[in-house]
Amino acid sequence: FFLMLALAACSGKLFTYKGTTARPENRIPLRETVPHEGVWETRDLSISCEHSLVGSELEIAGVVEFAQYLRTGYNSLRKFSMAVSFLDADGIVLDTRPILTQADRPWILLKEVSFKTRLDLPATTAAIAFSYRGQAGDAGGGGGSKDRYGEGVSWDFWQGP
């Protein structure tokens, strides 16, 4: 059993959003007309973005701004990744693709992060939803708090579609 679990985890199929239902408040409908602008907010961040359909592709660009509690409580962004999930009309995740990754680059100051990409759409896509995972940290210098590895204190934050 444990070997099967390990193989499934290594294949990346165990930890995917595909087939799950996105929460209604996270669904952003796609419109086939002019570019659509909007802001999506969570406790951790806000995403101001513009998206448009170009044939069978989604063109999306925006800015991620981290919440005040992250900017004032920590001085760095140790890791951050964000993805967009493509949803059918019932909110079921068809596929998820990364749109922004800043991993294992410690001491990046918590500031706005911009993104711009163009992605192929699955055939029955009716909406999108964002997801993210990140870690904010304190450099720990000057006698500040340290974690068990001797580094400054960190805070993990995440949101699914």
Side-chain angles (χ1 to χ4, degrees), residues 20-54:
T20 62
T21 303
R23 289 182 284 184
E25 65 270 18
N26 291 344
R27 300 175 194 174
I28 302 167
L30 294 180
R31 297 181 173 88
E32 292 192 30
T33 57
V34 295
H36 177 73
E37 293 180 17
V39 177
W40 182 72
E41 294 182 281
T42 69
R43 176 182 184 269
D44 307 310
L45 53 81
S46 66
I47 300 172
S48 301
C49 70
E50 180 178 291
H51 66 268
S52 59
L53 297 176
V54 181

mmCIF file of all heavy atoms in Angstrom, residues 20-54:
data_model
loop_
_atom_site.group_PDB
_atom_site.id
_atom_site.type_symbol
_atom_site.label_atom_id
_atom_site.label_comp_id
_atom_site.label_asym_id
_atom_site.label_seq_id
_atom_site.Cartn_x
_atom_site.Cartn_y
_atom_site.Cartn_z
ATOM 1 N N THR A 20 -11.951 18.298 -9.077
ATOM 2 C CA THR A 20 -12.569 18.874 -7.886
ATOM 3 C C THR A 20 -13.478 20.037 -8.284
ATOM 4 O O THR A 20 -13.409 20.537 -9.406
ATOM 5 C CB THR A 20 -11.505 19.380 -6.878
ATOM 6 O OG1 THR A 20 -10.737 20.414 -7.491
ATOM 7 C CG2 THR A 20 -10.582 18.249 -6.439
ATOM 8 N N THR A 21 -14.310 20.475 -7.375
ATOM 9 C CA THR A 21 -15.214 21.584 -7.642
ATOM 10 C C THR A 21 -14.665 22.856 -7.015
ATOM 11 O O THR A 21 -14.365 22.886 -5.819
ATOM 12 C CB THR A 21 -16.621 21.302 -7.053
ATOM 13 O OG1 THR A 21 -17.100 20.075 -7.623
ATOM 14 C CG2 THR A 21 -17.587 22.420 -7.375
ATOM 15 N N ALA A 22 -14.515 23.886 -7.822
ATOM 16 C CA ALA A 22 -14.048 25.183 -7.318
ATOM 17 C C ALA A 22 -15.161 25.840 -6.519
ATOM 18 O O ALA A 22 -16.343 25.724 -6.861
ATOM 19 C CB ALA A 22 -13.635 26.078 -8.481
ATOM 20 N N ARG A 23 -14.788 26.517 -5.452
ATOM 21 C CA ARG A 23 -15.783 27.228 -4.651
ATOM 22 C C ARG A 23 -16.419 28.334 -5.492
ATOM 23 O O ARG A 23 -15.722 29.011 -6.259
ATOM 24 C CB ARG A 23 -15.135 27.808 -3.409
ATOM 25 C CG ARG A 23 -14.752 26.701 -2.418
ATOM 26 C CD ARG A 23 -14.164 27.264 -1.195
ATOM 27 N NE ARG A 23 -12.801 27.660 -1.538
ATOM 28 C CZ ARG A 23 -11.934 28.141 -0.681
ATOM 29 N NH1 ARG A 23 -12.260 28.326 0.561
ATOM 30 N NH2 ARG A 23 -10.721 28.448 -1.061
ATOM 31 N N PRO A 24 -17.730 28.530 -5.349
ATOM 32 C CA PRO A 24 -18.429 29.543 -6.161
ATOM 33 C C PRO A 24 -17.803 30.932 -6.073
ATOM 34 O O PRO A 24 -17.714 31.635 -7.081
ATOM 35 C CB PRO A 24 -19.852 29.528 -5.596
ATOM 36 C CG PRO A 24 -20.020 28.150 -5.050
ATOM 37 C CD PRO A 24 -18.659 27.764 -4.513
ATOM 38 N N GLU A 25 -17.333 31.332 -4.903
ATOM 39 C CA GLU A 25 -16.753 32.671 -4.748
ATOM 40 C C GLU A 25 -15.416 32.824 -5.456
ATOM 41 O O GLU A 25 -14.918 33.944 -5.632
ATOM 42 C CB GLU A 25 -16.625 33.049 -3.267
ATOM 43 C CG GLU A 25 -15.669 32.194 -2.476
ATOM 44 C CD GLU A 25 -16.293 30.950 -1.831
ATOM 45 O OE1 GLU A 25 -17.395 30.513 -2.237
ATOM 46 O OE2 GLU A 25 -15.652 30.405 -0.918
ATOM 47 N N ASN A 26 -14.806 31.728 -5.871
ATOM 48 C CA ASN A 26 -13.518 31.779 -6.571
ATOM 49 C C ASN A 26 -13.649 31.726 -8.088
ATOM 50 O O ASN A 26 -12.662 31.891 -8.795
ATOM 51 C CB ASN A 26 -12.624 30.629 -6.112
ATOM 52 C CG ASN A 26 -12.163 30.793 -4.686
ATOM 53 O OD1 ASN A 26 -12.246 31.877 -4.104
ATOM 54 N ND2 ASN A 26 -11.686 29.725 -4.096
ATOM 55 N N ARG A 27 -14.843 31.482 -8.583
ATOM 56 C CA ARG A 27 -15.050 31.329 -10.030
ATOM 57 C C ARG A 27 -15.140 32.680 -10.731
ATOM 58 O O ARG A 27 -15.885 33.558 -10.324
ATOM 59 C CB ARG A 27 -16.334 30.541 -10.291
ATOM 60 C CG ARG A 27 -16.304 29.162 -9.691
ATOM 61 C CD ARG A 27 -17.640 28.463 -9.858
ATOM 62 N NE ARG A 27 -17.687 27.289 -8.999
ATOM 63 C CZ ARG A 27 -18.763 26.544 -8.835
ATOM 64 N NH1 ARG A 27 -19.888 26.837 -9.491
ATOM 65 N NH2 ARG A 27 -18.732 25.501 -8.035
ATOM 66 N N ILE A 28 -14.369 32.813 -11.792
ATOM 67 C CA ILE A 28 -14.371 34.034 -12.598
ATOM 68 C C ILE A 28 -14.839 33.636 -14.001
ATOM 69 O O ILE A 28 -14.115 32.955 -14.729
ATOM 70 C CB ILE A 28 -12.962 34.656 -12.659
ATOM 71 C CG1 ILE A 28 -12.458 34.963 -11.251
ATOM 72 C CG2 ILE A 28 -12.964 35.898 -13.543
ATOM 73 C CD1 ILE A 28 -10.975 35.289 -11.169
ATOM 74 N N PRO A 29 -16.066 34.031 -14.378
ATOM 75 C CA PRO A 29 -16.589 33.633 -15.691
ATOM 76 C C PRO A 29 -15.770 34.239 -16.831
ATOM 77 O O PRO A 29 -15.279 35.359 -16.732
ATOM 78 C CB PRO A 29 -18.008 34.195 -15.716
ATOM 79 C CG PRO A 29 -18.290 34.680 -14.343
ATOM 80 C CD PRO A 29 -16.990 34.833 -13.627
ATOM 81 N N LEU A 30 -15.629 33.485 -17.912
ATOM 82 C CA LEU A 30 -14.949 33.997 -19.103
ATOM 83 C C LEU A 30 -15.984 34.595 -20.036
ATOM 84 O O LEU A 30 -17.054 34.028 -20.241
ATOM 85 C CB LEU A 30 -14.186 32.877 -19.805
ATOM 86 C CG LEU A 30 -13.022 32.285 -19.027
ATOM 87 C CD1 LEU A 30 -12.358 31.191 -19.838
ATOM 88 C CD2 LEU A 30 -12.003 33.362 -18.667
ATOM 89 N N ARG A 31 -15.660 35.740 -20.592
ATOM 90 C CA ARG A 31 -16.548 36.416 -21.541
ATOM 91 C C ARG A 31 -15.842 36.485 -22.885
ATOM 92 O O ARG A 31 -14.655 36.757 -22.947
ATOM 93 C CB ARG A 31 -16.877 37.809 -21.029
ATOM 94 C CG ARG A 31 -17.643 37.753 -19.719
ATOM 95 C CD ARG A 31 -17.992 39.164 -19.247
ATOM 96 N NE ARG A 31 -18.852 39.124 -18.099
ATOM 97 C CZ ARG A 31 -18.425 39.063 -16.852
ATOM 98 N NH1 ARG A 31 -17.141 39.027 -16.607
ATOM 99 N NH2 ARG A 31 -19.289 39.050 -15.848
ATOM 100 N N GLU A 32 -16.588 36.283 -23.934
ATOM 101 C CA GLU A 32 -15.980 36.252 -25.272
ATOM 102 C C GLU A 32 -15.894 37.627 -25.918
ATOM 103 O O GLU A 32 -15.447 37.748 -27.041
ATOM 104 C CB GLU A 32 -16.768 35.295 -26.170
ATOM 105 C CG GLU A 32 -16.618 33.860 -25.720
ATOM 106 C CD GLU A 32 -17.129 32.882 -26.739
ATOM 107 O OE1 GLU A 32 -17.070 33.178 -27.944
ATOM 108 O OE2 GLU A 32 -17.579 31.809 -26.321
ATOM 109 N N THR A 33 -16.308 38.652 -25.209
ATOM 110 C CA THR A 33 -16.259 39.997 -25.791
ATOM 111 C C THR A 33 -14.933 40.665 -25.448
ATOM 112 O O THR A 33 -13.907 40.008 -25.405
ATOM 113 C CB THR A 33 -17.460 40.823 -25.272
ATOM 114 O OG1 THR A 33 -17.414 40.841 -23.836
ATOM 115 C CG2 THR A 33 -18.772 40.216 -25.722
ATOM 116 N N VAL A 34 -14.984 41.947 -25.182
ATOM 117 C CA VAL A 34 -13.773 42.731 -24.895
ATOM 118 C C VAL A 34 -13.052 42.201 -23.666
ATOM 119 O O VAL A 34 -13.631 41.459 -22.878
ATOM 120 C CB VAL A 34 -14.143 44.222 -24.684
ATOM 121 C CG1 VAL A 34 -14.683 44.808 -25.959
ATOM 122 C CG2 VAL A 34 -15.109 44.384 -23.540
ATOM 123 N N PRO A 35 -11.798 42.583 -23.477
ATOM 124 C CA PRO A 35 -11.066 42.146 -22.285
ATOM 125 C C PRO A 35 -11.837 42.487 -21.006
ATOM 126 O O PRO A 35 -12.501 43.512 -20.917
ATOM 127 C CB PRO A 35 -9.758 42.937 -22.359
ATOM 128 C CG PRO A 35 -9.581 43.224 -23.811
ATOM 129 C CD PRO A 35 -10.969 43.406 -24.353
ATOM 130 N N HIS A 36 -11.747 41.590 -20.043
ATOM 131 C CA HIS A 36 -12.438 41.760 -18.770
ATOM 132 C C HIS A 36 -11.426 42.086 -17.682
ATOM 133 O O HIS A 36 -10.398 41.421 -17.565
ATOM 134 C CB HIS A 36 -13.202 40.482 -18.415
ATOM 135 C CG HIS A 36 -13.886 40.546 -17.100
ATOM 136 N ND1 HIS A 36 -15.013 41.291 -16.891
ATOM 137 C CD2 HIS A 36 -13.590 39.972 -15.920
ATOM 138 C CE1 HIS A 36 -15.395 41.171 -15.631
ATOM 139 N NE2 HIS A 36 -14.545 40.372 -15.020
ATOM 140 N N GLU A 37 -11.714 43.116 -16.885
ATOM 141 C CA GLU A 37 -10.846 43.486 -15.771
ATOM 142 C C GLU A 37 -11.543 43.160 -14.471
ATOM 143 O O GLU A 37 -12.770 43.224 -14.379
ATOM 144 C CB GLU A 37 -10.546 44.990 -15.807
ATOM 145 C CG GLU A 37 -9.724 45.416 -16.982
ATOM 146 C CD GLU A 37 -9.449 46.918 -16.970
ATOM 147 O OE1 GLU A 37 -9.614 47.558 -15.917
ATOM 148 O OE2 GLU A 37 -9.066 47.430 -18.019
ATOM 149 N N GLY A 38 -10.762 42.818 -13.467
ATOM 150 C CA GLY A 38 -11.355 42.537 -12.172
ATOM 151 C C GLY A 38 -10.309 42.382 -11.091
ATOM 152 O O GLY A 38 -9.104 42.368 -11.362
ATOM 153 N N VAL A 39 -10.794 42.275 -9.857
ATOM 154 C CA VAL A 39 -9.931 42.078 -8.699
ATOM 155 C C VAL A 39 -10.466 40.879 -7.927
ATOM 156 O O VAL A 39 -11.669 40.783 -7.668
ATOM 157 C CB VAL A 39 -9.914 43.321 -7.779
ATOM 158 C CG1 VAL A 39 -9.068 43.068 -6.546
ATOM 159 C CG2 VAL A 39 -9.407 44.540 -8.540
ATOM 160 N N TRP A 40 -9.583 39.953 -7.590
ATOM 161 C CA TRP A 40 -9.919 38.782 -6.788
ATOM 162 C C TRP A 40 -9.128 38.894 -5.501
ATOM 163 O O TRP A 40 -7.911 39.077 -5.533
ATOM 164 C CB TRP A 40 -9.549 37.520 -7.560
ATOM 165 C CG TRP A 40 -9.880 36.244 -6.861
ATOM 166 C CD1 TRP A 40 -11.114 35.709 -6.664
ATOM 167 C CD2 TRP A 40 -8.949 35.329 -6.279
ATOM 168 N NE1 TRP A 40 -11.017 34.517 -6.004
ATOM 169 C CE2 TRP A 40 -9.692 34.255 -5.755
ATOM 170 C CE3 TRP A 40 -7.567 35.304 -6.153
ATOM 171 C CZ2 TRP A 40 -9.100 33.170 -5.107
ATOM 172 C CZ3 TRP A 40 -6.976 34.227 -5.516
ATOM 173 C CH2 TRP A 40 -7.742 33.180 -5.005
ATOM 174 N N GLU A 41 -9.814 38.823 -4.355
ATOM 175 C CA GLU A 41 -9.149 39.033 -3.076
ATOM 176 C C GLU A 41 -9.361 37.867 -2.124
ATOM 177 O O GLU A 41 -10.433 37.270 -2.096
ATOM 178 C CB GLU A 41 -9.680 40.298 -2.409
ATOM 179 C CG GLU A 41 -9.341 41.570 -3.145
ATOM 180 C CD GLU A 41 -9.857 42.792 -2.418
ATOM 181 O OE1 GLU A 41 -11.059 43.084 -2.532
ATOM 182 O OE2 GLU A 41 -9.041 43.424 -1.722
ATOM 183 N N THR A 42 -8.313 37.586 -1.352
ATOM 184 C CA THR A 42 -8.381 36.640 -0.252
ATOM 185 C C THR A 42 -7.752 37.321 0.959
ATOM 186 O O THR A 42 -7.307 38.472 0.874
ATOM 187 C CB THR A 42 -7.617 35.335 -0.549
ATOM 188 O OG1 THR A 42 -6.212 35.617 -0.580
ATOM 189 C CG2 THR A 42 -8.059 34.711 -1.859
ATOM 190 N N ARG A 43 -7.664 36.599 2.054
ATOM 191 C CA ARG A 43 -7.036 37.138 3.255
ATOM 192 C C ARG A 43 -5.560 37.478 3.002
ATOM 193 O O ARG A 43 -5.018 38.407 3.577
ATOM 194 C CB ARG A 43 -7.145 36.115 4.383
ATOM 195 C CG ARG A 43 -6.460 36.521 5.652
ATOM 196 C CD ARG A 43 -6.575 35.399 6.712
ATOM 197 N NE ARG A 43 -6.002 35.822 7.957
ATOM 198 C CZ ARG A 43 -4.731 35.624 8.307
ATOM 199 N NH1 ARG A 43 -3.908 35.017 7.488
ATOM 200 N NH2 ARG A 43 -4.281 36.030 9.468
ATOM 201 N N ASP A 44 -4.920 36.727 2.114
ATOM 202 C CA ASP A 44 -3.476 36.834 1.910
ATOM 203 C C ASP A 44 -3.039 37.802 0.823
ATOM 204 O O ASP A 44 -1.934 38.326 0.877
ATOM 205 C CB ASP A 44 -2.901 35.456 1.549
ATOM 206 C CG ASP A 44 -3.296 34.392 2.549
ATOM 207 O OD1 ASP A 44 -3.123 34.615 3.756
ATOM 208 O OD2 ASP A 44 -3.797 33.339 2.107
ATOM 209 N N LEU A 45 -3.890 38.002 -0.185
ATOM 210 C CA LEU A 45 -3.458 38.812 -1.330
ATOM 211 C C LEU A 45 -4.647 39.265 -2.159
ATOM 212 O O LEU A 45 -5.770 38.803 -1.978
ATOM 213 C CB LEU A 45 -2.476 38.013 -2.211
ATOM 214 C CG LEU A 45 -2.893 36.626 -2.698
ATOM 215 C CD1 LEU A 45 -3.804 36.688 -3.901
ATOM 216 C CD2 LEU A 45 -1.644 35.830 -3.030
ATOM 217 N N SER A 46 -4.359 40.174 -3.064
ATOM 218 C CA SER A 46 -5.359 40.563 -4.070
ATOM 219 C C SER A 46 -4.681 40.480 -5.437
ATOM 220 O O SER A 46 -3.488 40.752 -5.574
ATOM 221 C CB SER A 46 -5.910 41.962 -3.818
ATOM 222 O OG SER A 46 -4.919 42.931 -3.989
ATOM 223 N N ILE A 47 -5.471 40.063 -6.418
ATOM 224 C CA ILE A 47 -4.971 39.950 -7.784
ATOM 225 C C ILE A 47 -5.817 40.876 -8.645
ATOM 226 O O ILE A 47 -7.022 40.678 -8.781
ATOM 227 C CB ILE A 47 -5.088 38.513 -8.311
ATOM 228 C CG1 ILE A 47 -4.288 37.549 -7.430
ATOM 229 C CG2 ILE A 47 -4.617 38.440 -9.763
ATOM 230 C CD1 ILE A 47 -4.505 36.089 -7.756
ATOM 231 N N SER A 48 -5.196 41.905 -9.187
ATOM 232 C CA SER A 48 -5.847 42.787 -10.149
ATOM 233 C C SER A 48 -5.426 42.277 -11.516
ATOM 234 O O SER A 48 -4.228 42.218 -11.815
ATOM 235 C CB SER A 48 -5.381 44.228 -9.978
ATOM 236 O OG SER A 48 -5.660 44.674 -8.668
ATOM 237 N N CYS A 49 -6.403 41.876 -12.320
ATOM 238 C CA CYS A 49 -6.004 41.287 -13.598
ATOM 239 C C CYS A 49 -6.968 41.645 -14.716
ATOM 240 O O CYS A 49 -8.079 42.122 -14.490
ATOM 241 C CB CYS A 49 -5.890 39.774 -13.490
ATOM 242 S SG CYS A 49 -7.437 38.916 -13.302
ATOM 243 N N GLU A 50 -6.472 41.424 -15.909
ATOM 244 C CA GLU A 50 -7.255 41.580 -17.123
ATOM 245 C C GLU A 50 -7.076 40.300 -17.915
ATOM 246 O O GLU A 50 -5.969 39.789 -18.039
ATOM 247 C CB GLU A 50 -6.756 42.768 -17.930
ATOM 248 C CG GLU A 50 -7.523 42.985 -19.205
ATOM 249 C CD GLU A 50 -7.036 44.216 -19.954
ATOM 250 O OE1 GLU A 50 -7.255 45.332 -19.469
ATOM 251 O OE2 GLU A 50 -6.436 44.036 -21.029
ATOM 252 N N HIS A 51 -8.199 39.765 -18.408
ATOM 253 C CA HIS A 51 -8.085 38.575 -19.244
ATOM 254 C C HIS A 51 -8.988 38.710 -20.458
ATOM 255 O O HIS A 51 -9.983 39.425 -20.438
ATOM 256 C CB HIS A 51 -8.421 37.297 -18.459
ATOM 257 C CG HIS A 51 -9.841 37.207 -18.012
ATOM 258 N ND1 HIS A 51 -10.256 37.670 -16.789
ATOM 259 C CD2 HIS A 51 -10.942 36.722 -18.622
ATOM 260 C CE1 HIS A 51 -11.554 37.457 -16.667
ATOM 261 N NE2 HIS A 51 -11.998 36.881 -17.763
ATOM 262 N N SER A 52 -8.588 38.033 -21.500
ATOM 263 C CA SER A 52 -9.389 38.031 -22.722
ATOM 264 C C SER A 52 -9.189 36.702 -23.437
ATOM 265 O O SER A 52 -8.173 36.033 -23.274
ATOM 266 C CB SER A 52 -9.002 39.196 -23.630
ATOM 267 O OG SER A 52 -7.647 39.128 -23.985
ATOM 268 N N LEU A 53 -10.186 36.341 -24.215
ATOM 269 C CA LEU A 53 -10.108 35.133 -25.023
ATOM 270 C C LEU A 53 -9.588 35.505 -26.403
ATOM 271 O O LEU A 53 -10.066 36.445 -27.024
ATOM 272 C CB LEU A 53 -11.490 34.485 -25.143
ATOM 273 C CG LEU A 53 -12.098 34.009 -23.829
ATOM 274 C CD1 LEU A 53 -13.498 33.482 -24.053
ATOM 275 C CD2 LEU A 53 -11.228 32.944 -23.195
ATOM 276 N N VAL A 54 -8.599 34.776 -26.853
ATOM 277 C CA VAL A 54 -8.015 34.988 -28.170
ATOM 278 C C VAL A 54 -8.065 33.635 -28.869
ATOM 279 O O VAL A 54 -7.202 32.785 -28.666
ATOM 280 C CB VAL A 54 -6.565 35.512 -28.072
ATOM 281 C CG1 VAL A 54 -5.988 35.741 -29.446
ATOM 282 C CG2 VAL A 54 -6.484 36.755 -27.215
#
